[in-house]
Amino acid sequence: MKSKSDFELRAIQERYKEYTLDALNAYLIEVRKRNLKIKNNNEIEKWIKELELQKFKDDLSIVPKLNWDCVSVKNEIIDISKFLGLDFFVRTRIHSVTTKPIISKPFSEFPALCLLSKKELPKGLKSVTNDGEWPEIASEMLIVTIYNLQSLGIISITAFQDKFSYFGFIQFYREFLSIKLIKTSKTGDILSDFVISVLETIDVNEKSNYDFANILTLLVNNIIGKEKVNLPEKEFIINILKTYSESNEFVDLSFSKSNLGLITNYSLIIDENQKIALQSQYQNSENMKIVSRGASDIDIFIFCRIKKHISDEFFSHQIDTG
């Protein structure tokens, strides 16, 4: 920020939401340096924290590069094909790390409902344009469910790096995530038990089947089918909530029509006592936060890969509107 007069600095505080994060940080430095009294300084500092959090979330939309040197070397041959006595194809697991749960205790008995107890389902024409609300909710439901299962000790999450080699000359590396079932006890939570059921069907002799992308495809196919639809995330959420409603008396999914009956608006109704309990769990879990700026590189890498796989999976179910 270029040098500004005290009057100009005071003027900024009236329109602080119009400025970028960098500009506001520079503004605060100047204010403190000059020991100026700004009446809404606390309000501005709170806004800056919100911008910083949003920037952090935006950064997580891109899978970061992981320095695999920090992970112990495995060098395990997991697949090999021969041609005329020569090693035609070799797949070697170079690195592998199974992470500890990054949440100290489970979020809730019903993690997806816990999350939705603080949200409204998108309504009206806005939801038809797929402006990001349905995809965001579907992604968050899956993410909190997966990490909740990890915290319960029901699943493990592993990140690994493999080297692919053809005749020893053509070589390249790829990174993967895998999820494995540690114990088969059901939780009573609809989405959690869907994940467990998918994992129970995996052939233990086919290591590639544990790949998270493969598991996610099986899960989404089970819930919305294999055909492409206009809003796959909405289809996923509504189908899941219908199952919750059928299986739990405290949950009801209602709907109404608008725009001459062309649009269906859905509302999630949760029994008030149960809703209060779920919202309390939401607050106690630090707003269902999965990763923070203090998370390790491997945890952030895994989180971003999970988000990307979820986004890619729903995109594969999206009708091409050209």
Side-chain angles (χ1 to χ4, degrees), residues 49-63:
K49 288 181 179 178
E50 288 183 20
L51 290 180
E52 288 175 341
L53 180 58
Q54 187 57 52
K55 182 178 183 298
F56 176 68
K57 288 181 177 179
D58 290 342
D59 290 342
L60 291 181
S61 65
I62 302 172
V63 180

Side-chain angles (χ1 to χ4, degrees), residues 35-73:
N35 200 25
L36 294 177
K37 301 298 181 183
I38 303 295
K39 61 182 180 180
N40 61 340
N41 234 35
N42 289 339
E43 183 182 322
I44 294 172
E45 288 179 349
K46 184 178 179 181
W47 176 250
I48 287 174
K49 288 181 179 178
E50 288 183 20
L51 290 180
E52 288 175 341
L53 180 58
Q54 187 57 52
K55 182 178 183 298
F56 176 68
K57 288 181 177 179
D58 290 342
D59 290 342
L60 291 181
S61 65
I62 302 172
V63 180
K65 293 290 185 183
L66 180 64
N67 179 12
W68 287 95
D69 291 340
C70 64
V71 180
S72 60
V73 177

Side-chain angles (χ1 to χ4, degrees), residues 79-90 167:
D79 193 11
I80 187 168
S81 298
K82 293 183 179 291
F83 178 73
L84 298 178
L86 299 175
D87 293 344
F88 165 66
F89 167 77
V90 180
F167 290 117

Side-chain angles (χ1 to χ4, degrees), residues 83-101:
F83 178 73
L84 298 178
L86 299 175
D87 293 344
F88 165 66
F89 167 77
V90 180
R91 179 176 179 177
T92 307
R93 184 133 305 159
I94 305 298
H95 297 97
S96 177
V97 55
T98 300
T99 60
K100 296 178 180 178

Side-chain angles (χ1 to χ4, degrees), residues 21-37:
L21 176 60
D22 290 340
L24 288 175
N25 278 324
Y27 156 82
L28 278 185
I29 290 172
E30 283 296 313
V31 166
R32 290 164 181 161
K33 187 188 297 182
R34 302 183 197 186
N35 200 25
L36 294 177
K37 301 298 181 183

Side-chain angles (χ1 to χ4, degrees), residues 138-157:
S139 178
E140 288 180 345
M141 287 174 65
L142 281 165
I143 287 170
V144 297
T145 298
I146 289 165
Y147 278 102
N148 201 63
L149 286 170
Q150 184 197 32
S151 181
L152 287 167
I154 292 176
I155 66 171
S156 63
I157 302 175

Side-chain angles (χ1 to χ4, degrees), residues 283-307:
Q283 298 297 339
N284 291 340
S285 62
E286 296 184 285
N287 299 337
M288 307 292 282
K289 185 167 60 177
I290 302 291
V291 294
S292 66
R293 278 167 284 184
S296 69
D297 290 346
I298 188 68
D299 287 332
I300 291 176
F301 171 80
I302 288 174
F303 176 79
C304 293
R305 292 287 295 207
I306 288 174
K307 281 192 69 175

